[in-house]
Amino acid sequence: MPELFPTVFGVLIVLCAVVRYFTRDTTQAQIEKNPAYLSFRNNYLTVYLIVMGADWLQGPYVYALYESYGYDRSQIAVLFIGGFVSSLVFGTFVGALADKYGRRMLCIFFGVIYSLSCLTKLVNDFIVLLAGRVLSGIATSLLFSSFESWMVSEHNSRNFPPALLSNTFSLATFGNGVVAILAGLLASFVADNTSFGYVAPFMMSLGFLVLGTIIVSATWTENYGDSTVDLAGTFTNALAAFRKDSKIAMLGMVQSLFEASMYTFVFMWTPALQTAWELKNEAVDLPFGLIFASYMVCIMIGSSLFGFLLKYMSIEIIVGHLMAVSAISLLVPIFFQDVVTVLISFLVFEVCCGIYFPAMGTLRGKYIPEATRSAVTNFFRVPLNFLVVIVLVKVGDLENSTVFAITAIWLSLGWLLQNLFIRKISAAY
């Protein structure tokens, strides 16, 4: 059955092209009449895809690099947990820094500290590598908050039509899938064909980070939340936003539950497929790079379907449906061990991820108050990191089926919260 994975990849590529063609953006005419928006969008997407490319370049070789330095599985787990704990701790206030001192400035700061994290990979010292993971944890918090907060604020301040915000998020997700595939190929090439070996992808990532930071410095204007209050006040105002509007808290928990499931899935899909593959008594190894590329194509399919679904239902309802489908897809490996069935369920989950990112990004833009946008967005990541750390600490003692059951429960809770969220919105009208 080795031909299964190239066949699946080929079918997904064709399906992606077909879906993309038949779900072409209906806002294109509106975009063509608004060259200012087009220029703004393309500038943001250029920066966003460069920094995401830097992030993707590192992913495939983090574990391999640590292993090549002689660290065992438990030591590597500590390094990974260090990154999540860092994001958990520092993520509570780096968003407040962005709202107070400027989103553009924090995007530049992201480039600096993530570059330093790359440089730590040159040193085979556990403390230095752990420091690098701490830096990458802070950078991750900024990557998934400050850039989006800057874009949404600029979009609104320039009075671009709200419908075009979904266009930007959809293209960002689709482009991210393309960049992830290309970054994986580039990382593999430089790791295998340069003297740096497993360090090479991190040095390549460093170059991307420098480029992205230069573009931000040269072309982005600064924007703020409420810069008139002190840092503690920004932090307090973000907490007040949760207390004042329960919809924001619900939205944050839905995001945390979905993304905690997604990050846990990143750790679990490999052993789950390996178990199913071994039951087939196949002599060849799984083509992990090809499977990863298939997942990225599914994300691209999902981002294309998002625009199509918007024609028939609200974004709030879309998120509710995808939470349910995601929960069902991650229940499959609990009850089935056939490799084809498990693979299909994982591909469905990745399609849901492709729909989720532009949908949730649009919801954040719609419901989070501008004055505390970055701080609130980072608060959303606190329970996410907490949940992932708990699972990572215990993952060695849990069966694969148990971990997938946990993710399915999280997603089911997310579905319930999203339905409560929809009811609150309906009651308001």
Side-chain angles (χ1 to χ4, degrees):
M1 195 181 279
E3 71 282 356
L4 168 67
F5 300 99
T7 301
V8 167
F9 181 69
V11 169
L12 289 171
I13 288 289
V14 173
L15 181 60
C16 181
V18 171
V19 170
R20 190 68 183 172
Y21 178 80
F22 285 105
T23 60
R24 286 169 292 180
D25 199 338
T26 56
T27 61
Q28 189 59 40
Q30 194 176 9
I31 293 169
E32 291 172 355
K33 295 178 182 178
N34 199 332
Y37 165 73
L38 187 62
S39 175
F40 163 76
R41 184 198 71 182
N42 291 345
N43 172 265
Y44 170 74
L45 289 177
T46 298
V47 171
Y48 176 76
L49 295 178
I50 286 173
V51 296
M52 288 305 300
D55 192 51
W56 284 117
L57 276 166
Q58 300 181 43
Y61 286 94
V62 176
Y63 192 101
L65 176 66
Y66 294 155
E67 196 172 45
S68 72
Y69 280 161
Y71 299 108
D72 60 31
R73 184 174 178 177
S74 61
Q75 291 172 307
I76 294 172
V78 171
L79 291 171
F80 273 90
I81 290 170
F84 282 107
V85 171
S86 168
S87 188
L88 170 65
V89 173
F90 293 105
T92 58
F93 64 84
V94 291
L97 287 172
D99 289 327
K100 170 66 178 174
Y101 297 108
R103 283 80 179 254
R104 172 182 172 272
M105 179 183 290
L106 266 292
C107 289
I108 294 171
F109 182 61
F110 155 84
V112 173
I113 62 171
Y114 214 7
S115 296
L116 290 174
S117 174
C118 290
L119 291 173
T120 64
K121 303 302 188 294
L122 293 166
V123 183
N124 183 5
D125 180 89
F126 189 83
I127 299 301
V128 173
L129 293 173
L130 184 59
R133 291 300 298 176
V134 171
L135 291 174
S136 69
I138 300 170
T140 298
S141 292
L142 292 171
L143 176 59
F144 292 107
S145 61
S146 295
F147 287 87
E148 177 186 308
S149 295
W150 179 89
M151 184 272 289
V152 173
S153 179
E154 286 295 306
H155 184 104
N156 293 333
S157 67
R158 299 184 191 194
N159 297 314
F160 295 137
L164 296 183
L165 191 61
S166 294
N167 171 266
T168 303
F169 279 118
S170 180
L171 283 176
T173 303
F174 186 89
N176 192 29
V178 175
V179 166
I181 294 171
L182 295 177
L185 295 173
L186 180 58
S188 179
F189 177 81
V190 297
D192 295 340
N193 295 280
T194 67
S195 59
F196 280 100
Y198 288 160
V199 178
F202 298 92
M203 298 302 99
M204 183 68 66
S205 176
L206 175 62
F208 276 65
L209 290 166
V210 171
L211 176 60
T213 303
I214 290 173
I215 296 174
V216 169
S217 301
T219 65
W220 285 19
T221 56
E222 189 60 273
N223 65 49
Y224 305 85
D226 188 351
S227 60
T228 62
V229 299
D230 59 21
L231 185 60
T234 303
F235 189 86
T236 302
N237 289 343
L239 290 174
F242 286 101
R243 292 194 299 268
K244 182 178 179 181
D245 188 351
S246 60
K247 294 194 298 295
I248 296 177
M250 287 183 184
L251 189 65
M253 283 309 302
V254 170
Q255 174 179 317
S256 294
L257 290 165
F258 185 91
E259 294 187 17
S261 301
M262 181 184 69
Y263 283 117
T264 303
F265 171 81
V266 168
F267 285 94
M268 294 306 302
W269 72 262
T270 297
L273 279 180
Q274 281 180 323
T275 299
W277 190 243
E278 288 166 2
L279 292 176
K280 287 284 186 182
N281 295 315
E282 296 287 350
V284 296
D285 293 332
L286 282 170
F288 294 115
L290 195 58
I291 297 170
F292 175 78
S294 298
Y295 290 161
M296 294 303 103
V297 175
C298 285
I299 285 179
M300 294 160 64
I301 292 171
S303 71
S304 298
L305 287 174
F306 169 68
F308 172 76
L309 293 172
L310 271 179
K311 300 176 186 177
Y312 302 100
M313 63 189 79
S314 70
I315 297 174
E316 291 83 359
I317 292 175
I318 289 173
V319 172
H321 289 336
L322 75 85
M323 295 296 287
V325 174
S326 298
I328 294 169
S329 68
L330 294 189
L331 281 173
V332 170
I334 300 174
F335 301 104
F336 298 92
Q337 293 297 311
D338 175 69
V339 67
V340 175
T341 305
V342 173
L343 178 62
I344 290 173
S345 73
F346 289 172
L347 296 175
V348 170
F349 179 72
E350 290 290 346
V351 171
C352 290
C353 290
I355 299 171
Y356 166 84
F357 287 115
M360 185 56 70
T362 305
L363 287 181
R364 287 193 297 264
K366 184 176 179 180
Y367 291 103
I368 297 176
E370 180 60 39
T372 55
R373 183 175 302 281
S374 294
V376 170
T377 302
N378 265 306
F379 270 125
F380 284 2
R381 297 185 62 81
V382 172
L384 149 67
N385 287 298
F386 179 73
L387 291 171
V388 174
V389 167
I390 289 175
V391 171
L392 280 180
V393 169
K394 294 292 184 180
V395 72
D397 301 323
L398 300 174
E399 297 289 335
N400 290 351
S401 58
T402 303
V403 178
F404 281 110
I406 291 170
T407 61
I409 291 170
W410 288 346
L411 290 166
S412 298
L413 289 173
W415 174 78
L416 289 171
L417 284 170
Q418 185 63 20
N419 277 277
L420 289 173
F421 181 80
I422 293 168
R423 289 185 183 180
K424 276 192 169 289
I425 295 170
S426 300
Y429 293 101

